[in-house]
């Protein structure tokens, strides 16, 4: 009995000791959060933009992510659910293969290992980041995460570039499912979905003092993303950090922005940064091997357990994922497995993204570029010394020119392996061109600076395979011959309403009508209206409405074409297809407008709308609820101010969801000056005054002045507080 009593007493003592340790750790952690908060100040200006001040960079990062949580915690959590491969746990089985894709390159165990190997300063920032989110959840118990109730310092390694998952998004979920789900049927994507999506990417302009009124360099920062995908923020510390711009929800670095000395705008790059390797596989003694030269190497096999939500419970599914030295097996062709090679160096990538903010000259900026871990982006640059520059891509593997890497190459041949990385000086770039400006609109870099552009013949094909597009053509037109540019003039140029695509499509319609007017005589008034149009978008334009719907339908229903760029395909459909086809598409559009609106003559602003009703990530639209008329148009037609709008089965009008989301113009000099605009507003909370306070300004192109210096911020301060001490 005494022995039994002693055993129970021992167990109770151990439980009590563990409890005390846990409580002590919890108290120590809470105290750490509170001390960090006391060294961090957040000032909200009159548009709700957070200006975060910290004693150290880590303090600033703590406050930066805390402020983001206040504005839209749901988007932060969802971004990390997607990046970490946990989306199915929150939203169901349909995301199972999105999660598997995320796990192919790095599991949580591998992320923790990489975190432990990171530089001390970066680990401190990552820890401050996790502390900032966890302190927010601690001080906001009413906020109920879907899945991530605690954030860990290794998590930012999954989100080290501006876009979620970086190039992982290019890996087909359908092909992944077909390979790893042995019983799955081959999947396809509808042509309609491929045709009507708004072009991904962004616009960046850099202007030298040669063509500005002030004689100072200027920068246009114009990312095209899903609306509300990025917030606006200013972050500063006493250790030299002082940056402003757009941050993707959940990151602790400014993705596209500026500091007092320089600015950077990233556009999506088409440089070849991913390759597919055909692997020759054999089973030997129950294990998989792949051929490499004269040897057979073991295929790395790893068990990955994924969970997915079904009803109110979580179910599990286990996958065996395979890797070779080229990368993970992502799909198969008719006869062989395919490994996909891409950049996966999250520590250095996060280091590059953060250090970029603290550069103060072109030399320093290029030193950071030399880390060569930005695999998604081109960079348009300007600084206070008057420099402007453009760098096409950053992470670019060297390849053997004897092989065509636009197709899968033989992974068993060592000669197909990547041969290191190109140095920045070897990549496509231009610095201080003689014409005084640089533009990139996800178009070819070989027209980025007129006659001073890089020469295509000087570079390997894989460095810059992008074709020209209508936005690139538009940018060249409006920048050529300009001088005396001010910030307001730069905004005007960035919103120029001309639409180059319709310079081909509308004459193609009038030509078709001339040939087939006997059959389509009922379209005469419509064709006459289009032929008088100046191809400029506006809220009042009826021709814009008809042309947009015509071009959209033509892309969806026109014949398939092979080997044509998106721009050339649209020109082909609008000018070289049978006249009867073009006119029938136009007739269908006219009939649909009459059915929905009672007349074909509908002004563009009546059908093209901006609406934000709730803070939900998946937006819903309602024709019966308030909305705002928009004069902007799709980048498909060459609109620089891209506005991707689509309808639903429940609406007759179309509503913007992608394109100009954050826009800024910046002038560098003794002091930096900037103006900016957000779609909707800074906050994702419908109860906030900053949920919709920029919506009408967005529609009217009325930019707000950026408050960058402390004295200006103080004048416009709406709230000042330390994290955890703010009033609702």
């Amino acid at each position: 009995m005494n022995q039994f009593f002693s055993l129970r007493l021992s167990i109770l003592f151990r439980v009590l000791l563990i409890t005390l340790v846990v409580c002590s750790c919890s108290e120590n952690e809470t105290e750490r959060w509170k001390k960090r908060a006391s060294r961090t100040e957040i000032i909200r200006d009159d548009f709700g933009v957070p200006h975060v001040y910290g004693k150290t960079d880590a303090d600033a990062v703590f406050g930066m992510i805390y402020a983001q949580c206040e504005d839209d915690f749901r988007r932060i959590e969802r971004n990390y659910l997607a990046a970490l491969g946990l989306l199915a746990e929150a939203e169901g089985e349909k995301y199972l293969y999105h999660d598997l894709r995320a796990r192919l390159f790095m599991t949580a165990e591998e992320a923790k290992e990489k975190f432990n190997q990171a530089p001390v300063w970066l680990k401190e920032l990552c820890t401050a980041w996790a502390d900032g989110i966890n302190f927010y959840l601690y001080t906001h118990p009413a906020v109920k995460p879907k899945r991530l109730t605690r954030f860990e310092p290794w998590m930012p390694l999954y989100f080290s570039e501006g876009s979620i998952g970086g190039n992982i998004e290019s890996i087909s979920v359908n092909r992944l499912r077909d390979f790893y789900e042995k019983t799955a049927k081959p999947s396809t994507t509808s042509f309609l979905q491929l045709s009507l999506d708004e072009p991904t990417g962004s616009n960046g302009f850099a202007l030298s003092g040669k063509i500005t009124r002030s004689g100072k360099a200027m920068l246009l920062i114009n990312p095209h993303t899903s609306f509300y995908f990025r917030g606006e923020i200013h972050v500063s510390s006493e250790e030299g950090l002082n940056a402003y711009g757009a941050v993707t929800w959940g990151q602790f670095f400014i993705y596209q922005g500026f500091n007092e000395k320089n600015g950077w705008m990233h556009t999506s790059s088409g440089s070849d940064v991913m390759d597919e390797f055909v692997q020759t596989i054999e089973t030997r003694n129950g294990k998989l091997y792949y051929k490499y030269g004269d040897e057979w190497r073991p295929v790395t096999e790893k068990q990955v357990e994924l969970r997915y939500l079904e009803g109110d419970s979580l179910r599990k599914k286990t996958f065996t994922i395979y890797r070779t030295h080229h990368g993970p097996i992502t799909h198969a062709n008719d006869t062989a497995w395919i490994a996909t090679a891409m950049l996966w160096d999250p520590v250095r990538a996060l280091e590059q993204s953060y250090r970029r903010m603290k550069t103060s000259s072109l030399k320093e900026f290029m030193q950071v570029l030399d880390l060569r871990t930005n695999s998604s982006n081109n960079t348009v640059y300007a600084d206070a010394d008057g420099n402007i520059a453009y760098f096409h891509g950053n992470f670019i593997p060297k390849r053997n020119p004897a092989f065509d890497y636009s197709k899968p190459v033989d992974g068993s041949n060592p000669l197909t392996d990547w041969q290191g990385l190109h140095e920045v000086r070897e990549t496509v770039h231009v610095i201080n061109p003689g014409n005084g400006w640089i533009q990139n609109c996800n178009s070819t870099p070989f027209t980025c600076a007129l006659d001073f552009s890089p020469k295509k013949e000087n570079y390997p094909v894989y460095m810059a395979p992008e074709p020209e597009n209508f936005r690139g053509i538009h940018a060249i037109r409006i920048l050529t011959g300009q001088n005396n540019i001010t910030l307001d003039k730069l905004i005007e140029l960035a919103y120029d309403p001309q639409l180059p695509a319709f310079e081909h499509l509308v004459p193609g319609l009038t030509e078709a009508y001339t040939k087939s007017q006997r059959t389509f005589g009922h379209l005469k008034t419509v064709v006459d209206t289009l032929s008088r149009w100046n191809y400029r978008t506006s809220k009042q334009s009826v021709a814009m409405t008809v042309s947009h719907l015509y071009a959209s339908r033509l892309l969806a229903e026109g014949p398939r074409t092979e080997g044509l760029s998106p721009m050339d395909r649209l020109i082909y459909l609008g000018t070289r297809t049978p006249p009867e086809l073009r006119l029938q598409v136009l007739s269908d559009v006219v009939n649909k407008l009459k059915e929905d609106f009672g007349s074909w003559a509908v002004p563009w602003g009546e059908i093209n709308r901006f609406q934000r009703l709730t803070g939900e990530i998946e937006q819903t639209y309602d024709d019966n609820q308030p909305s705002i008329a928009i004069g902007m148009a799709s980048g498909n037609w060459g609109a620089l101010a891209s506005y991707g709008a689509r309808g639903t089965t429940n609406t007759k009008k179309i509503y913007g969801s992608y394109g100009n989301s954050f826009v800024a113009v910046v002038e560098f000099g003794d002091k930096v000056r900037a103006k900016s605009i957000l779609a909707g507003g800074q906050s994702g909370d419908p109860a906030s005054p900053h949920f919709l306070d920029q919506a009408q300004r967005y529609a009217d192109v009325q930019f707000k002045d950026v408050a960058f210096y402390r004295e200006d911020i103080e004048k416009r301060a709406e709230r000042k507080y330390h994290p955890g001490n703010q009033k609702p």
Side-chain angles (χ1 to χ4, degrees):
M1 180 69 70
N2 289 340
Q3 187 178 14
F4 177 71
F5 180 77
S6 297
L7 179 61
R8 291 188 62 187
L9 193 62
S10 174
I11 292 173
L12 284 171
F13 177 76
R14 289 170 63 189
V15 169
L16 180 61
L17 181 62
I18 291 171
T19 303
L20 288 172
V21 170
V22 169
C23 291
S24 175
C25 288
S26 177
E27 289 174 3
N28 288 340
E29 183 177 62
T30 304
E31 288 305 310
R32 184 177 79 238
W33 294 343
K34 291 179 178 179
K35 287 178 181 178
R36 183 82 75 182
S38 70
R39 300 193 298 267
T40 306
E41 182 182 28
I42 300 172
I43 304 177
R44 296 276 181 173
D45 68 22
D46 47 346
F47 286 93
V49 176
H51 303 262
V52 181
Y53 292 90
K55 293 286 186 182
T56 66
D57 280 10
D59 295 336
V61 164
F62 176 89
M64 182 184 189
I65 194 64
Y66 184 94
Q68 289 182 55
C69 288
E70 290 182 294
D71 287 333
D72 213 324
F73 173 78
R74 285 176 298 181
R75 280 182 169 77
I76 292 174
E77 185 188 18
R78 195 180 196 280
N79 282 350
Y80 276 91
L81 288 173
L84 293 165
L86 298 172
L87 204 52
E89 294 190 21
E91 301 189 20
E93 189 177 8
K94 65 180 178 178
Y95 288 106
L96 196 61
Y97 287 92
H98 290 78
D99 290 350
L100 181 62
R101 181 176 64 181
R103 306 286 185 94
L104 285 180
F105 289 89
M106 187 167 71
T107 62
E109 292 74 22
E110 291 165 331
K112 293 172 187 176
E113 182 180 348
K114 289 183 180 295
F115 172 78
N116 290 332
Q117 298 168 355
V120 172
W121 67 268
L122 189 60
K123 287 197 286 189
E124 184 180 357
L125 296 184
C126 290
T127 300
W129 171 90
D131 284 351
I133 302 182
N134 292 327
F135 186 54
Y136 169 80
L137 293 175
Y138 171 78
T139 55
H140 292 75
V143 175
K144 304 299 182 185
K146 282 190 173 183
R147 166 67 179 79
L148 293 174
T149 56
R150 182 176 176 83
F151 287 74
E152 301 293 344
W154 49 267
M155 290 180 177
L157 298 184
Y158 279 93
F159 205 178
S160 55
E161 291 190 74
S163 53
I164 303 173
N167 294 103
I168 283 180
E169 294 293 310
S170 301
I171 295 174
S172 167
V173 170
N174 290 333
R175 293 201 300 180
L176 192 69
R177 180 189 295 111
D178 296 341
F179 179 80
Y180 282 99
E181 183 68 71
K182 306 304 181 185
T183 60
K185 295 180 179 179
S187 305
T188 58
T189 301
S190 74
F191 181 57
L192 180 65
Q193 290 174 314
L194 290 173
S195 299
L196 299 183
D197 285 344
E198 187 65 11
T200 57
S202 309
N203 302 336
F205 297 170
L207 314 180
S208 80
K210 291 182 179 180
I211 62 171
T212 64
R213 180 177 296 179
S214 65
K216 307 297 184 183
M218 292 184 181
L219 183 67
L220 167 70
I221 299 173
N222 185 195
H224 296 164
T225 66
S226 299
F227 289 175
Y228 328 119
F229 185 63
R230 296 203 177 109
E232 188 171 354
I233 199 165
H234 177 205
V235 58
S236 180
S237 82
E238 295 178 14
E239 294 182 334
L241 175 65
N242 191 18
Y244 190 108
V247 59
T248 308
W249 296 114
Q251 292 177 325
F252 62 78
F253 56 86
I254 302 294
Y255 181 41
Q256 293 150 321
F258 60 93
N259 58 40
E260 191 172 22
K261 296 298 182 181
N262 59 21
W264 54 95
M265 168 60 209
H266 293 309
T267 63
S268 296
S269 180
S271 296
D272 183 4
V273 296
M274 300 175 64
D275 285 326
E276 295 180 347
F277 293 84
V278 179
Q279 306 288 182
T280 303
I281 306 289
E282 283 191 6
T283 302
R284 299 182 175 189
N285 300 321
K287 294 186 178 181
L288 294 172
Y289 292 82
Y290 68 100
K291 183 174 174 53
Y292 184 68
D294 295 329
E295 61 179 309
W296 287 87
R297 296 182 173 184
V299 174
T300 301
E301 300 183 43
K302 191 175 186 68
Q303 296 290 309
V304 173
E305 183 181 271
L306 298 180
R307 296 187 295 179
Y308 60 93
L309 187 66
E310 187 172 276
D312 295 327
S313 61
L314 286 174
R315 296 190 178 276
K316 298 178 182 179
K317 192 164 187 175
T318 301
F319 296 88
T320 301
I321 60 175
Y322 308 98
R323 294 175 183 168
T324 72
H325 76 282
H326 291 119
I329 304 297
T330 57
H331 62 286
N333 60 21
D334 293 335
T335 60
W337 290 8
I338 309 294
T340 298
M342 60 176 278
L343 166 72
W344 198 260
D345 191 354
V347 171
R348 281 168 60 89
L350 188 57
E351 179 182 350
Q352 180 169 346
S353 294
Y354 188 83
R355 284 179 54 190
R356 183 168 53 227
M357 292 192 296
K358 298 185 73 172
T359 60
S360 60
S361 66
L362 179 58
K363 180 180 179 181
E364 289 182 7
F365 194 85
M366 291 184 68
Q367 288 172 344
V368 173
L369 281 177
D370 253 334
L371 288 170
R372 292 174 287 173
T373 52
N374 188 339
S375 63
S376 302
N377 300 130
N378 311 313
T379 304
V380 183
Y381 171 92
D383 67 28
D385 296 325
N387 296 302
I388 62 173
Y390 175 72
F391 302 92
H392 196 78
N394 181 242
F395 167 86
I396 304 179
K398 291 182 179 179
R399 282 99 167 176
N400 189 326
F403 300 95
D404 180 5
Y405 288 86
S406 66
K407 303 173 184 177
V409 294
D410 181 5
S412 68
N413 185 349
L415 295 178
T416 63
D417 274 8
W418 288 351
Q419 301 164 4
L421 299 179
H422 285 281
E423 296 181 16
V424 172
R425 62 181 178 82
E426 298 173 327
T427 63
V428 182
H429 68 278
V430 61
I431 298 174
N432 295 327
N435 61 310
W437 56 260
I438 295 168
Q439 65 80 26
N440 182 258
C441 302
N442 313 116
S443 45
T444 174
F446 303 120
T447 59
C448 70
L450 286 182
D451 295 339
F452 299 90
S453 305
K455 305 305 178 188
K456 187 174 184 178
E457 59 270 19
N458 294 338
Y459 301 93
V461 173
Y462 56 75
M463 277 194 181
E466 298 97 324
E468 187 60 276
N469 63 32
F470 284 123
R471 282 185 293 130
I473 288 173
H474 192 176
I476 292 167
R477 284 185 189 175
I478 57 111
L479 289 171
T480 300
Q482 288 288 345
N483 56 61
N484 211 31
I485 297 175
T486 62
L487 283 182
D488 288 336
K489 179 63 176 179
L490 181 52
I491 294 171
E492 181 184 327
L493 293 174
Y495 283 77
D496 184 82
Q498 195 75 16
L499 301 176
F502 294 118
E503 297 170 13
H504 300 274
L505 298 185
V506 171
L509 269 176
T510 56
E511 176 197 29
Y513 182 76
T514 300
K515 294 178 179 179
S516 303
Q517 55 185 301
R518 288 186 179 181
T519 307
F520 293 92
H522 63 288
L523 295 175
K524 183 179 187 305
T525 305
V526 181
V527 174
D528 286 347
T529 298
L530 293 176
S531 65
R532 292 193 297 268
W533 185 37
N534 59 5
Y535 315 128
R536 296 169 73 83
T537 184
S538 70
K539 298 174 188 176
Q540 298 77 28
S541 176
V542 169
M544 180 67 235
T545 301
V546 176
S547 295
H548 172 85
L549 297 177
Y550 165 73
S552 298
R553 196 156 189 155
L554 190 65
L555 278 173
E557 299 178 358
R560 297 293 297 267
T561 53
E562 301 295 336
L564 294 181
S565 70
M567 181 178 76
D568 289 337
R569 179 171 187 267
L570 191 56
I571 293 173
Y572 171 84
L573 292 175
T575 61
R576 295 173 59 189
T577 50
E580 294 79 9
L581 183 150
R582 286 174 258 162
L583 292 171
Q584 185 58 56
V585 170
L586 179 63
S587 182
D588 292 343
V589 165
V590 169
N591 290 336
K592 182 63 175 171
L593 283 168
K594 288 179 179 178
E595 177 186 334
D596 287 348
F597 298 96
S599 169
W600 66 267
V602 183
W604 181 230
E606 186 174 327
I607 190 174
N608 191 47
R609 312 292 291 184
F610 177 90
Q611 186 178 78
R612 193 182 193 191
L613 301 176
T614 71
E616 295 300 320
I617 293 172
E618 299 295 331
Q619 295 292 302
T620 56
Y621 303 106
D622 187 342
D623 287 343
N624 297 315
Q625 295 297 318
S627 61
I628 297 172
I630 298 292
M632 293 181 282
S634 169
N636 280 303
W637 325 137
L640 294 172
S642 170
Y643 190 79
R646 304 184 81 171
T648 71
T649 55
N650 300 317
T651 65
K652 295 178 180 179
K653 299 175 183 180
I654 58 177
Y655 297 89
S657 62
Y658 191 98
N660 274 23
S661 49
F662 168 80
V663 191
V665 291
V666 190
E667 181 181 75
F668 298 94
D670 296 333
K671 296 186 74 174
V672 67
R673 295 178 55 237
K675 297 187 176 188
S676 69
I677 197 73
L678 269 176
Q682 176 69 21
S683 176
D685 180 4
S688 167
H690 303 300
F691 178 73
L692 209 59
D693 60 335
Q694 296 184 58
Q696 193 62 56
R697 282 176 166 268
Y698 177 85
D700 297 339
V701 195
Q702 295 296 315
F703 280 46
K704 62 186 183 293
D705 291 323
V706 166
F708 185 80
Y709 294 98
R710 182 75 185 228
E711 58 268 27
D712 298 320
I713 296 165
E714 293 281 358
K715 292 175 184 176
R716 292 170 52 182
E718 189 177 75
R719 287 189 296 150
K720 298 170 67 174
Y721 57 95
H722 297 283
N725 294 333
Q726 73 281 14
K727 295 180 181 179

